């Protein structure tokens, strides 16, 4: 047993010291100008007087629509903001953005990487990984003109951020919200209200004893050749439709320096999510607001029971619509881009929900 233990520990040390997966820093991407996408942008966002975040986001701008808007000609354009879900990044929206912009007459589409995901900075301060901070970042990056129609779209865990963004938009601005497989009914992690959890000893233990093996396991796990592809196959409705490009959009951000610790920090902030029922009720009662909820019928992550637990009282609501996408799973906007966008466009252009 001693031989096996020594061999195991030696293997771990050798792998971590000499064969650890390479990582790239966000600054390297910026300085060498090798962005994840032609739509990639980086911006420093002020969270408070003492806290700044270097955020990666996607930005699509239709200059022709902007010019027509400036001259007052043509239909009123749309400004869209996208919030990704757990384990994903803004890159998840790449196939959807062009078609969505076309169908919704969008002059601009934006969406950022939450801290812990994608290529945004991963600072040491824990509040950076909260949904509230992500909503603050989104509100800082979101731009819309007075005559533009505003659309907010959130997927899975990104639904929290999407709904939290609403408080930054004046009530007299007409607002269209699309929630895709919203994780609002997902069981919340309990808060650990234990004084010792915030002690220096607890922080030292977490940083130097608990986190290192967790980071190692995550590094090795995401380094497996088919990890992301097999993972996505489990949550997609039709696994045969999954392509290498689909998996790469999830796999690529994992090369970012500090990816593993960022995931751990995000998970530790999940107990601080706002009460979903209260948040939804507050947004649903806002004037000039319409909400569309979309779910794939084969979604194994957000089950029908979870949906019913949070949306049961809104089935007959005048400003809330529900659409099931047959045969699709947890990522319907990626699994069938055209059908998803067509559903959103049809709802968006209708006067009644």
């Amino acid at each position: 047993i001693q031989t096996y233990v020594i061999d195991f520990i030696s293997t771990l040390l050798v792998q971590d010291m000499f064969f650890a997966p390479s990582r790239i820093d966000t600054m390297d991407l910026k300085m060498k100008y090798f962005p994840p996408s032609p739509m990639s942008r980086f911006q420093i966002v002020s969270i408070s007087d003492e806290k700044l975040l270097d955020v990666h986001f996607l930005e699509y701008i239709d200059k022709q629509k902007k010019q027509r808007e400036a001259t007052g000609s043509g239909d009123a354009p749309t400004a869209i903001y996208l919030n990704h879900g757990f384990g994903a990044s803004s890159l998840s929206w790449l196939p959807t953005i062009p078609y969505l912009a076309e169908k919704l007459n969008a002059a601009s589409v934006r969406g950022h990487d939450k801290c812990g995901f994608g290529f945004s900075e991963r600072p040491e301060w824990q509040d950076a990984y909260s949904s509230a901070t992500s909503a603050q970042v989104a509100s800082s990056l979101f731009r819309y003109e007075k005559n533009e129609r505003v659309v907010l779209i959130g997927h899975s865990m990104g639904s929290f951020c999407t709904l939290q963004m609403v408080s930054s938009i004046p009530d007299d601005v007409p607002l269209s919200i699309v929630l895709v497989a919203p994780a609002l009914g997902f069981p919340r992690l309990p808060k650990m209200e234990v004084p010792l959890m915030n002690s220096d000893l607890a922080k030292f233990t977490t940083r130097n004893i608990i986190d290192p093996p967790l980071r190692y396991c995550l590094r090795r796990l995401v380094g497996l050749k088919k990890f992301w592809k097999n993972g996505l196959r489990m949550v997609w409705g039709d696994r045969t439709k999954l392509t290498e490009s689909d998996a790469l959009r999830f796999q690529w951000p994992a090369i970012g320096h500090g990816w593993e610790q960022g995931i751990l920090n995000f998970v530790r902030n999940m107990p601080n999510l706002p009460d979903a029922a209260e948040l939804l009720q507050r947004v649903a009662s806002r004037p000039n607001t319409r909400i569309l909820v979309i779910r794939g019928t084969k979604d194994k992550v957000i089950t029908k029971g979870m949906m019913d637990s949070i949306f049961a009282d809104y089935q007959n609501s005048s400003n809330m619509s529900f659409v099931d996408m047959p045969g699709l799973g947890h990522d319907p906007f990626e699994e069938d881009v055209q059908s998803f966008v067509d559903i959103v466009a049809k709802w968006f252009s209708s006067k009644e929900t």
Side-chain angles (χ1 to χ4, degrees):
I1 295 176
Q2 184 178 5
T3 301
Y4 279 114
V5 171
I6 294 175
D7 181 67
F8 178 70
I9 294 176
S10 300
T11 301
L12 295 185
L13 291 174
V14 170
Q15 284 184 340
D16 218 35
M17 291 176 64
F18 300 104
F19 300 104
S22 61
R23 292 292 186 263
I24 188 168
D25 192 84
T26 299
M27 186 59 67
D28 291 333
L29 288 174
K30 294 170 64 177
M31 297 300 292
K32 297 177 181 177
Y33 199 71
F34 191 69
S37 162
M39 287 187 278
S40 287
R41 305 288 184 271
F42 288 92
Q43 183 170 316
I44 302 295
V45 176
S46 175
I47 303 302
S48 67
D49 292 340
E50 300 177 350
K51 296 177 179 178
L52 302 174
L53 281 177
D54 193 355
V55 178
H56 170 258
F57 65 103
L58 299 183
E59 181 180 61
Y60 168 92
I61 301 293
D62 190 317
K63 295 181 179 180
Q64 291 184 345
K65 287 190 177 71
K66 285 290 186 182
Q67 290 173 353
R68 289 197 297 268
E69 179 182 8
T71 60
S73 60
D75 297 332
T78 307
I80 303 174
Y81 202 90
L82 309 168
N83 288 296
H84 68 79
F86 182 84
S89 70
S90 59
L91 302 184
S92 296
W93 299 102
L94 274 175
T96 313
I97 288 176
Y99 192 51
L100 188 67
E102 177 189 348
K103 284 288 188 176
L104 269 61
N105 191 38
S108 65
V109 183
R110 295 179 177 88
H112 74 286
D113 294 344
K114 297 176 178 60
C115 284
F117 305 98
F119 294 96
S120 288
E121 181 185 2
R122 298 172 175 86
E124 293 185 2
W125 47 285
Q126 293 296 307
D127 288 348
Y129 302 88
S130 69
S131 181
T133 297
S134 184
Q136 186 176 348
V137 169
S139 298
S140 298
L141 296 175
F142 192 32
R143 299 286 185 271
Y144 60 92
E145 303 298 331
K146 192 173 183 179
N147 66 321
E148 290 182 341
R149 298 172 296 176
V150 176
V151 179
L152 307 180
I153 303 179
H155 172 237
S156 194
M157 290 291 293
S159 297
F160 279 98
C161 181
T162 297
L163 295 178
Q164 287 174 291
M165 283 180 67
V166 174
S167 62
S168 67
I169 300 174
D171 286 349
D172 60 348
V173 175
L175 184 57
S176 297
I177 300 174
V178 181
L179 304 178
V180 188
L184 302 177
F186 206 81
R188 296 182 65 187
L189 296 177
K191 288 187 177 182
M192 303 294 289
E193 300 292 349
V194 181
L196 289 177
M197 292 293 291
N198 294 319
S199 66
D200 291 338
L201 177 61
K203 292 177 181 178
F204 176 85
T205 302
T206 299
R207 183 171 60 251
N208 297 286
I209 299 177
I210 297 176
D211 282 358
L214 291 177
R215 288 197 302 267
Y216 177 86
C217 291
L218 283 171
R219 277 200 300 270
R220 293 298 152 188
L221 196 61
V222 300
L224 295 176
K225 185 176 181 180
K226 296 184 178 181
F227 171 77
W228 292 104
K229 196 167 186 178
N230 289 337
L232 288 171
R233 280 174 174 168
M234 294 175 63
V235 300
W236 276 40
D238 185 354
R239 61 177 60 192
T240 63
K241 292 184 177 180
L242 186 71
T243 67
E244 294 292 341
S245 179
D246 295 322
L248 184 60
R249 289 196 300 276
F250 284 78
Q251 184 178 0
W252 197 359
I255 69 172
H257 180 70
W259 182 88
E260 303 85 8
Q261 188 63 54
I263 292 289
L264 295 176
N265 291 342
F266 181 87
V267 171
R268 289 187 177 121
N269 265 279
M270 287 176 65
N272 298 319
L273 287 169
D275 184 273
E278 292 181 4
L279 180 62
L280 180 62
Q281 193 279 329
R282 187 164 63 248
V283 173
S285 62
R286 176 189 182 273
N288 303 308
T289 302
R290 301 169 64 207
I291 302 175
L292 172 63
V293 182
I294 299 176
R295 176 182 174 269
T297 58
K298 290 189 176 181
D299 191 341
K300 299 175 184 178
V301 180
I302 305 301
T303 64
K304 189 177 184 302
M306 292 180 189
M307 293 284 288
D308 291 342
S309 70
I310 196 73
F311 291 105
D313 295 336
Y314 299 94
Q315 294 300 318
N316 298 317
S317 175
S318 61
N319 69 332
M320 197 175 298
S321 300
F322 299 86
V323 175
D324 287 339
M325 297 190 69
L328 300 186
H330 189 57
D331 301 336
F333 66 97
E334 292 182 275
E335 297 175 53
D336 190 341
V337 173
Q338 183 169 341
S339 295
F340 170 79
V341 174
D342 286 345
I343 288 172
V344 174
K346 182 178 179 180
W347 167 81
F348 184 67
S349 63
S350 66
K351 294 183 178 179
E352 298 181 358
T353 57

